[in-house]
């Protein structure tokens, strides 16, 4: 007669089968002690014994206050190609040159080649870029997501990347709900700092102009709301203007929307320097002078901020450091899939001449 397995080993074998078959995936939280106890009709002590064995064999990991998570992946280790895929929305202007240079410096220093492509913030270009990186069998991918403020139509590609065990790090923003780390500026704090700069200068009627199809716009708006509420200031919907990537090309033709948003305000928070630099001459042409008639605080502290006809008070984006960190953390993920690669940089404000004190 075959000897019956001890109850704890029955659970151990079942858990291993769930992981190896892919029913329980790397990084997922497993059932609680109470749930496993009820499922198998065993005591919690027996469950703990089984989980202890699984932990010793590196199948799971207990995290205090969070639960127990799968730390084993049945995916076979991939052969290294010494190539890293980098997908960015843009390259040749604004903050992107510094970020990409930071990424390239780290990858080159570590003996990797960079496969670089751009989406121009179009989701169909992102899908082609992801397909190319998967087919090239790169060792990892660094991605600036396209239209990260909207539902992601390329989910199937990211699921394939996850299933194949290809390390991936988002930079600048990220798609919510995907199991990948990100390296970004804390955009909520950025929005709050820009708004506080105007509040501290005595402004009370403060408008906000934000980008709707990128996550940064939503987070910066959240920071704006935090600062307004903390100061006890009223929020007025008519003083908030949302625009998309496609809207940028026709800002001058559609300027009446901006004038309507700014009516009755003494200041506004601008989504980024690029937009602010474009708006200031349009305002001047209509007799609205920055900062005499209206003050502006911006975000990113790009070269445009200091070169603008009215030097901008702007929240500093880490740029090159962000790129270097994204590349370094991606390489650490290549070496150790359990590495926590997420970083949110705390920004600081750089004050210039675009804010008038009341």
């Amino acid at each position: 007669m075959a000897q019956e397995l001890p109850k704890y080993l029955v659970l151990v074998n079942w858990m291993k089968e769930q992981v190896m078959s892919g029913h329980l995936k790397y990084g997922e939280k497993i059932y609680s002690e109470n749930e496993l106890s009820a499922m198998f009709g065993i005591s919690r002590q027996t469950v703990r014994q089984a989980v202890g064995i699984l932990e010793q064999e590196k199948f799971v990991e207990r995290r205090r206050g969070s639960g127990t998570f799968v730390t084993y992946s049945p995916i076979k280790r991939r052969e290294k190609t010494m190539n890293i895929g980098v997908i960015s929305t843009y390259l040749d202007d604004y903050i992107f040159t510094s970020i990409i240079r930071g990424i390239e410096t780290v990858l080159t220093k570590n003996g990797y080649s960079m496969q670089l492509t751009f989406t121009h913030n179009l989701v169909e270009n992102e899908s082609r870029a992801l397909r190319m990186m998967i087919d090239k069998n790169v060792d990892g991918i660094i991605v600036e997501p396209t239209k990260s403020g909207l539902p992601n139509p390329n989910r199937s590609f990211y699921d394939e990347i996850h299933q194949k065990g290809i390390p991936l790090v988002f930079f600048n923003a990220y798609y919510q709900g995907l199991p990948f780390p990100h390296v970004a500026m804390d955009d909520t704090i950025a929005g709050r700092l820009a708004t506080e700069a105007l509040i501290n200068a005595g402004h009370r009627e403060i408008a906000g102009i934000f980008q709707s199809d990128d996550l940064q716009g939503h987070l910066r708006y959240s920071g704006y709301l935090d600062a307004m509420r903390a100061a006890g200031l009223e929020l007025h919907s008519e003083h908030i203007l949302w625009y998309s990537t496609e809207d940028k090309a026709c800002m001058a033709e559609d300027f009446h929307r901006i004038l309507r948003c700014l009516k009755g305000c003494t200041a506004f928070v601008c989504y980024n320097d690029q937009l602010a630099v474009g708006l200031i001459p349009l305002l001047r042409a209509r007799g609205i002078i920055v900062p005499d008639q209206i003050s502006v605080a911006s975000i990113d502290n790009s070269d445009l901020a200091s070169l603008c006809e009215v030097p901008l008070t702007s929240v500093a984006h880490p740029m090159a450091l962000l790129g270097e960190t994204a590349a370094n953390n991606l390489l650490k993920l290549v070496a150790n899939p359990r590495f926590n690669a997420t970083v949110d940089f705390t920004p600081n404000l750089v004050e210039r001449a675009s804010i008038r004190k009341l």
Side-chain angles (χ1 to χ4, degrees):
M1 178 182 290
Q3 188 173 0
E4 189 174 325
L5 281 176
K7 292 180 179 179
Y8 74 90
L9 281 182
V10 172
L11 177 54
V12 167
N13 290 340
W14 180 82
M15 284 290 298
K16 287 182 176 179
E17 190 278 329
Q18 293 296 301
V19 172
M20 298 302 291
S21 66
H23 287 99
L24 281 174
K25 295 180 175 60
Y26 175 85
E28 286 188 348
K29 186 177 180 178
I30 70 170
Y31 301 102
S32 68
E33 284 186 4
N34 285 337
E35 289 171 329
L36 290 171
S37 177
M39 288 167 62
F40 286 85
I42 57 179
S43 68
R44 291 180 61 185
Q45 180 59 39
T46 302
V47 171
R48 289 192 198 101
Q49 185 179 6
V51 172
I53 292 171
L54 290 164
E55 193 167 29
Q56 288 176 5
E57 297 183 10
K58 309 297 184 184
F59 272 82
V60 301
E61 176 183 77
R62 283 181 275 208
R63 299 173 189 169
R64 186 181 298 275
S66 299
T68 303
F69 295 81
V70 177
T71 53
Y72 178 85
S73 174
I75 299 169
K76 293 180 180 178
R77 189 171 293 274
R78 303 160 64 250
E79 290 295 323
K80 276 194 173 185
T81 63
M82 299 306 292
N83 288 317
I84 297 295
V86 178
I87 302 173
S88 177
T89 52
Y90 304 100
L91 168 67
D92 55 356
D93 63 356
Y94 202 46
I95 63 174
F96 302 100
T97 303
S98 295
I99 295 173
I100 299 301
R101 189 183 300 122
I103 292 173
E104 183 180 27
T105 297
V106 170
L107 295 182
T108 301
K109 180 180 177 182
N110 285 275
Y112 284 85
S113 296
M114 180 173 70
Q115 305 291 319
L116 180 61
T117 189
F118 310 102
T119 67
H120 301 285
N121 219 27
L122 297 174
V123 293
E124 58 270 30
N125 290 348
E126 184 185 76
S127 64
R128 286 192 287 268
L130 291 169
R131 180 75 270 159
M132 180 180 71
M133 297 306 177
I134 294 169
D135 292 343
K136 281 181 175 290
N137 198 33
V138 293
D139 293 337
I141 309 175
I142 303 171
V143 182
E144 183 188 23
T146 293
K147 295 186 182 296
S148 52
L150 302 178
N152 174 20
N154 292 322
R155 179 65 185 257
S156 61
F157 290 103
Y158 288 105
D159 287 343
E160 182 178 352
I161 288 166
H162 183 56
Q163 289 163 7
K164 290 187 172 182
I166 303 172
L168 183 147
V169 171
F170 286 122
F171 74 93
N172 266 353
Y174 53 92
Y175 291 121
Q176 295 175 315
L178 289 183
F180 299 108
H182 66 267
V183 175
M185 176 174 71
D186 190 319
D187 285 289
T188 302
I189 292 178
R192 176 171 58 79
L193 289 175
T195 310
E196 287 176 346
L198 296 167
I199 293 170
N200 293 339
H203 295 274
R204 293 296 177 264
E205 294 295 331
I206 303 170
I209 302 176
F210 303 99
Q211 186 159 330
S212 60
D213 51 355
D214 285 347
L215 178 62
Q216 297 99 310
H218 294 258
L219 296 177
R220 292 173 187 186
Y221 172 64
S222 179
Y224 163 89
L225 293 179
D226 289 345
M228 294 288 282
R229 288 172 181 147
L233 301 179
E234 289 188 27
L235 304 171
H236 301 286
S237 296
E238 66 268 24
H239 294 324
I240 301 298
L241 175 65
W242 292 97
Y243 73 96
S244 69
T245 300
E246 289 74 22
D247 292 333
K248 283 191 292 187
C250 55
M251 276 289 188
E253 292 80 2
D254 198 24
F255 196 64
H256 66 278
R257 290 177 61 212
I258 295 169
L259 293 175
R260 193 163 58 240
C261 168
L262 300 181
K263 186 176 181 181
C265 294
T266 62
F268 68 100
V269 174
C270 202
Y271 169 72
N272 66 13
D273 300 338
Q274 196 172 44
L275 181 64
V277 167
L279 291 181
I280 287 175
L282 294 176
L283 289 167
R284 174 170 42 76
R286 287 159 177 82
I288 304 171
I289 308 302
V290 175
D292 296 348
Q293 275 75 46
I294 195 163
S295 294
V296 55
S298 184
I299 297 172
D300 285 339
N301 193 40
S302 65
D303 290 342
L304 295 176
S306 58
L307 297 174
C308 181
E309 62 179 71
V310 180
L312 292 169
T313 290
S314 186
V315 178
H317 189 290
M319 297 187 213
L321 177 60
L322 186 145
E324 292 167 6
T325 304
N328 274 316
N329 286 8
L330 189 278
L331 296 184
K332 290 176 183 177
L333 270 181
V334 170
N336 174 18
R338 295 169 61 186
F339 175 70
N340 181 8
T342 290
V343 175
D344 289 291
F345 288 100
T346 300
N348 62 283
L349 183 77
V350 179
E351 297 185 57
R352 296 192 182 89
S354 62
I355 296 178
R356 180 173 70 93
K357 290 189 177 181
L358 298 183

